[in-house]
Amino acid sequence: MTTQTLPRPRLLVLRARHLFDGGGGPLLDDPAVVVDGGRIVSVAQGPAGVPDGADVVDLPGATLLPGLVDSHVHLAFDASARPVTRLGERDDAAAYEAMCAAARAAAAGGVTTVRDLGDRGYLALRVRAAARAGDHTLPDVVAAGVPITTPGGHCHFLGETAAGAAELRAAVRARAERGVDVIKVMASGGHLTAGSRPELAQYTVEELRAVVEHAHGLGLRVTAHAHGTSAIVAAAEAGVDSLEHATFMTAESVDDIPDGLLDTIVSRGIALSLTFGTLPVDGHAVPPSIATRMPRFIANAARMRAAGARIVIGTDAGIAPVKPHFVLRHAVPQLAPLGMGGAEALHAVTARAAEVIGLGHRKGRIAAGYDADILAVAGDPVAEPAAIHRLLAVYVRGVRLAARTGTVGQA
């Protein structure tokens, strides 16, 4: 038997003016990031950090930062004006291809990791598998599969429902057997489902606790879609790991945060995956029912931040034309009204988001041992958050993509 020895790929070194490592600290000047295959092996400063024989990419005037991490997307929805209808018109083969296209748009736009929180037929697990098999045009995917909801409840059209503690435990177990990464439960109604009311709870605290305890026993985290105050309170009391949206929406307005609730959220370490990030699109706008509530949403979010809650950004990408799958970049400069400076906003969509979705050991940082998901942008995105849109390069697991910078047509 003969063996063939293949030449080892050369090390890649990225050099730039600055580096934001994801941790929220000051920028590193004159960085040299050494990449071996899909992993970062070292981060140094100046020419001394460049190994002999390495391939060097110089990006003068650029800032390197980790690939962005969106904690709430829907790859199955196509960011059209009728995403639910369009999904219903596709068979599984067509839906899977559309999901891969959506995922590639996210990656090319700088979103190199996504947490998909609701698909049909567990197709997001197939996208996850394709990325893990070596398709570097795809972001890494954390997948919930089909969300748990009530009969006729929010997103029931995605295919599976459960009511009562016994059915809920069975639903968790079925998802674990399919290999999901996280359990998504619809604690309240939502906007995309006819007849569903976002301000109303769908499950009791006892039912949600059955989900949480069974999921935790199987090693899975639980995140709860929760708009109305009663649903948020129930999910927090049940011990979920994160809350999606947390808008405190009422039928007509937005509630103030109840006394004591933020103390519970902070003390239990419950993450808040807040829904920010919209792209201006001619002929499309945020619905008036949301736009008129935004000042109250922002005021509550600022209170959450001031209380020390762990805030990350889940854009709900895919649900509307203003929510294309690369939209997370647009959230970064939109976080200033919450009191977030540039470094904190970037931390919320990199290292902190990676921790919340369970990938903090290898995503969201530019540091030795982490995956080589790296963006290069022109300028300083800490001092000028809008610089995040001036993409010069996107690396997904060490492979450079053609960066796409901003419009629906481009990405």
Side-chain angles (χ1 to χ4, degrees):
M1 183 177 69
T2 61
T3 61
Q4 182 179 13
T5 301
L6 297 177
R8 186 179 184 281
R10 299 206 304 179
L11 297 176
L12 170 69
V13 179
L14 303 180
R15 298 199 60 199
R17 183 177 182 182
H18 300 301
L19 180 144
F20 175 81
D21 74 356
L27 295 179
L28 177 73
D29 294 331
D30 196 16
V33 180
V34 182
V35 175
D36 187 357
R39 289 292 179 92
I40 299 166
V41 295
S42 67
V43 178
Q45 284 183 280
V50 179
D52 292 339
D55 291 325
V56 179
V57 176
D58 281 308
L59 296 159
T63 299
L64 303 178
L65 66 154
L68 307 184
V69 179
D70 195 331
S71 62
H72 187 150
V73 309
H74 294 282
L75 296 175
F77 294 146
D78 65 359
S80 69
R82 299 182 301 122
V84 175
T85 301
R86 293 279 291 271
L87 176 60
E89 292 169 349
R90 297 185 175 103
D91 63 16
D92 280 358
Y96 171 72
E97 291 302 322
M99 290 171 71
C100 287
R104 291 187 177 105
V111 185
T112 59
T113 304
V114 300
R115 183 169 66 165
D116 188 289
L117 291 184
D119 67 15
R120 187 189 73 195
Y122 297 88
L123 293 173
L125 276 68
R126 289 182 55 191
V127 183
R128 181 188 72 182
R132 291 179 177 177
D135 187 339
H136 288 81
T137 66
L138 296 171
D140 276 286
V141 178
V142 171
V146 180
I148 297 175
T149 193
T150 55
H154 182 44
C155 286
H156 68 89
F157 50 81
L158 292 175
E160 299 179 23
T161 63
E167 286 189 9
L168 288 165
R169 283 191 288 268
V172 170
R173 189 163 56 252
R175 284 156 178 76
E177 290 170 353
R178 284 182 174 269
V180 303
D181 301 298
V182 62
I183 298 296
K184 165 78 174 296
V185 61
M186 300 298 196
S188 78
H191 298 282
L192 284 183
T193 306
S196 178
R197 293 177 60 181
E199 73 275 13
L200 297 183
Q202 295 195 158
Y203 291 112
T204 67
V205 65
E206 291 79 12
E207 289 172 319
L208 293 173
R209 188 174 288 121
V211 171
V212 170
E213 291 178 352
H214 203 57
H216 286 179
L218 295 169
L220 293 171
R221 301 184 187 195
V222 177
T223 193
H225 161 107
H227 280 293
T229 301
S230 61
I232 297 168
V233 171
E237 183 61 28
V240 299
D241 300 284
S242 54
L243 290 162
E244 305 301 317
H245 312 301
T247 59
F248 296 92
M249 184 177 291
T250 68
E252 302 296 334
S253 183
V254 176
D255 278 336
D256 292 332
I257 301 173
D259 291 342
L261 179 59
L262 278 180
D263 290 339
T264 298
I265 288 171
V266 173
S267 65
R268 295 185 179 182
I270 298 171
L272 296 171
S273 176
L274 302 185
T275 313
F276 286 88
T278 56
L279 172 72
V281 178
D282 289 343
H284 298 278
V286 175
S289 62
I290 300 298
T292 57
R293 289 177 168 92
M294 280 306 296
R296 302 281 309 264
F297 291 158
I298 290 170
N300 277 343
R303 274 195 65 195
M304 297 170 188
R305 175 191 170 273
R310 286 198 303 160
I311 293 175
V312 298
I313 305 303
T315 63
D316 230 355
I319 66 165
V322 298
K323 294 283 189 179
H325 287 90
F326 58 86
V327 75
L328 183 59
R329 285 204 327 271
H330 293 265
V332 175
Q334 293 169 6
L335 297 178
L338 277 64
M340 288 192 186
E344 185 180 354
L346 290 172
H347 177 59
V349 297
T350 55
R352 186 190 294 155
E355 292 168 2
V356 166
I357 70 170
L359 295 179
H361 59 295
R362 64 183 183 91
K363 298 289 184 182
R365 298 290 300 271
I366 298 182
Y370 279 70
D371 290 355
D373 297 338
I374 301 170
L375 311 184
V377 301
D380 178 354
V382 172
E384 182 200 357
I388 193 73
H389 297 310
R390 299 196 290 269
L391 280 178
L392 300 173
V394 175
Y395 288 85
V396 176
R397 302 182 294 281
V399 174
R400 187 169 181 170
L401 305 185
R404 298 183 178 183
T405 57
T407 69
V408 173
Q410 289 175 312

